[in-house]
């Protein structure tokens, strides 16, 4: 199953990379084009991150359960990062992105949606990456 998860990460990363590229074409259409640029970059960078993790996945020493948890945390975190930044670009929210969102303000429900989403991304990515660190520093037995 280890090999299967790494191929899925590489495929998911390639898809997210492509989504980031496509986002680049529609940057002028967003309410906040600066956040649209951020969404483009999030898609491209997070796609590359997933591809890189997939490429080194075989070097992890983790239980199958922790591998699956890390896999889904990283999938959720990377795709949601792109999605919630795109939502911020569409809505023109700024509470969680005061620099890129300067001069913009979304409706209260939009600000709450983007804030909750980006906070969930932060938590899932920290936990997912911490699991990876543990898996990479453990020594294989036998």
């Amino acid at each position: 199953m280890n090999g299967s998860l790494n191929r899925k990460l590489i495929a998911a990363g390639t898809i997210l990379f492509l989504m980031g590229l496509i986002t680049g074409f529609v940057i002028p259409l967003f309410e906040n084009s600066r956040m649209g640029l951020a969404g483009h970059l999030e898609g491209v960078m997070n796609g590359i991150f997933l591809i890189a993790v997939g490429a080194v996945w075989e070097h992890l020493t983790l239980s199958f359960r922790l591998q699956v948890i890390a896999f889904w945390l990283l999938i959720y975190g990377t795709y949601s990062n792109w999605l919630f930044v795109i939502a911020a670009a569409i809505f023109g929210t700024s509470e969680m992105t005061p620099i890129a969102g300067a001069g913009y303000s979304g409706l209260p429900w939009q600000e709450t949606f983007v804030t909750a989403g980006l906070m969930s991304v932060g938590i899932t990515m920290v936990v997912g990456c911490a699991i990876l660190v543990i898996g990479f520093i453990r020594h294989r037995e036998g």
Side-chain angles (χ1 to χ4, degrees):
M1 188 63 175
N2 202 3
S4 177
L5 290 179
N6 82 316
R7 290 182 58 78
K8 288 176 182 175
L9 281 171
I10 292 169
T14 305
I15 292 166
L16 185 54
F17 185 87
L18 177 61
M19 290 166 54
L21 291 177
I22 293 168
T23 301
F25 289 118
V26 297
I27 289 171
L29 302 178
F30 292 114
E31 173 71 19
N32 179 349
S33 59
R34 196 168 182 189
M35 283 304 299
L37 174 62
H40 158 69
L41 295 173
E42 290 298 347
V44 169
M45 290 188 311
N46 280 297
I48 292 169
F49 173 72
L50 288 177
I51 293 167
V53 172
V56 297
W57 191 261
E58 68 184 49
H59 299 288
L60 287 171
T61 303
L62 292 170
S63 68
F64 177 71
R65 184 172 188 218
L66 277 178
Q67 287 182 43
V68 171
I69 290 169
F71 173 87
W72 285 110
L73 287 172
L74 297 177
I75 293 293
Y76 172 82
T78 54
Y79 274 79
S80 293
N81 196 2
W82 172 80
L83 177 70
F84 287 113
V85 170
I86 293 299
I90 292 168
F91 297 145
T93 61
S94 62
E95 284 181 14
M96 282 295 287
T97 56
I99 295 172
Y104 293 91
S105 181
L107 297 172
W109 74 267
Q110 295 169 334
E111 295 284 357
T112 300
F113 175 73
V114 171
T115 296
L118 290 176
M119 289 177 72
S120 74
V121 166
I123 293 166
T124 57
M125 289 303 289
V126 167
V127 174
C129 287
I131 293 170
L132 291 180
V133 168
I134 292 166
F136 287 128
I137 63 175
R138 282 185 172 171
H139 293 287
R140 289 194 192 268
E141 295 179 14

